[in-house]
Amino acid sequence: MKILVIGALGQVGSELVGVLQEKYGLDQVIASDIRDEAPANWRYEKLDVLDKDGLRKLVIDEKIDWIFNLAAMLSATAEQNVDFAWKLNMEGHLNTLNLAKEGIIKRLFWPSSIAVFGPSTPKDQTPQRTIMDPNTVYGISKLAGERWNAYYHEKFGVDVRSIRYPGLIGWKSLPGGGTTDYAVDIFHQARKTGSYESFLDEHTALPMMMMEDAVRATIEIMEAPDNEVKVRESYNLSGTSFNPDELTKEIKKHLPDFSISYAPDNRDIIAQSWPHSIDDAEARKDWGWNHKYGISELVVEMLEHI
Ligand code: SER
């Protein structure tokens, strides 16, 4: 089994690669990204997912079976780079889908996001199938990508698997350019300065998940037997859910002097259009998903390591 992780130096990739290496062997996992440098013990290839020929050559030369394509521009950054965000998020995805269509790879993982939902979506326990009217370029690209997943699976039998990630929180890697980044930054600032200025309003609740849960879900859906993966566009996935005020109260249980102030910016407008919580009954039923971390376990884990 040979695996290629694209976007391996990002928030998810930098944790996923290590877990895949442990499971499948150091030599079986090739990490790629657009940067020159990577951790010394990785098999690393510099690669731009938009370089269709370079990608194809690497996949054929290395006889890759599975691709995890994690290369994307996140919600807040994408709003500042609309054209490029669309190109990266869409063409990058189609480049890997086409490798699967040609039978060059056997299986593809591509993450979607809670950003596929929009202002008209029911906000609480958002169902798998509902109104989807994303109003960010990131959300539009993820929703279009989901439709391509369903299309490639139906028309060409492509084995693509996908999860709608909530905001992801981990201590090993930093997020970049997302609306949910506050929930990681807050821990670093709590340790460094004892206070944090939140760019989300205190009552803006979002679905969130500990990185360890997200990495486990990613590997579990890829390893699930084919007939268990019934939703091919992308699965709702839920861990926990909180707003900055609730997170602050939980942090204060451990750091009583921690303080927070609020200066909501345009990211709060994005967050207001997303769900508060997610109904992931289908992931639980189809391939046995079960989260481990609630808000209190998550806060303990973050403060233990930062
Ligand atoms: N965490 C992402 C973001 O905030 C959502 O998928 O953009």
Side-chain angles (χ1 to χ4, degrees), residues 71-93:
M73 195 178 275
L74 292 188
S75 57
T77 317
E79 290 306 294
Q80 314 301 321
N81 303 274
V82 171
D83 293 343
F84 183 67
W86 176 256
K87 189 178 165 73
L88 174 64
N89 294 3
M90 206 71 314
E91 272 178 39
H93 185 32

Side-chain angles (χ1 to χ4, degrees), residues 56 58 97 119 122 141 174 179 192 200 221 230 296:
R56 193 187 170 85
L58 176 66
L97 276 172
S141 73
L174 288 173
T179 300
K192 235 191 264 167
L200 295 191
I221 194 175
K230 298 189 174 111
S296 45

Side-chain angles (χ1 to χ4, degrees), residues 122-159:
K123 294 242 179 285
D124 296 306
Q125 288 300 306
T126 301
Q128 176 70 40
R129 287 169 206 80
T130 182
I131 298 167
M132 299 167 94
D133 57 349
N135 57 7
T136 62
V137 63
Y138 176 71
I140 296 169
S141 73
K142 287 294 180 188
L143 181 53
E146 286 194 7
R147 297 318 307 155
W148 282 126
N149 286 351
Y151 186 91
Y152 271 70
H153 179 71
E154 212 177 292
K155 305 274 178 198
F156 313 123
V158 163
D159 188 358

Side-chain angles (χ1 to χ4, degrees), residues 11 74-76 112-115 138 165-168 177-181 274:
Q11 190 197 7
L74 292 188
S75 57
S112 185
S113 159
I114 51 167
Y138 176 71
Y165 284 144
L168 299 181
T179 300
T180 57
D181 294 9
W274 291 351

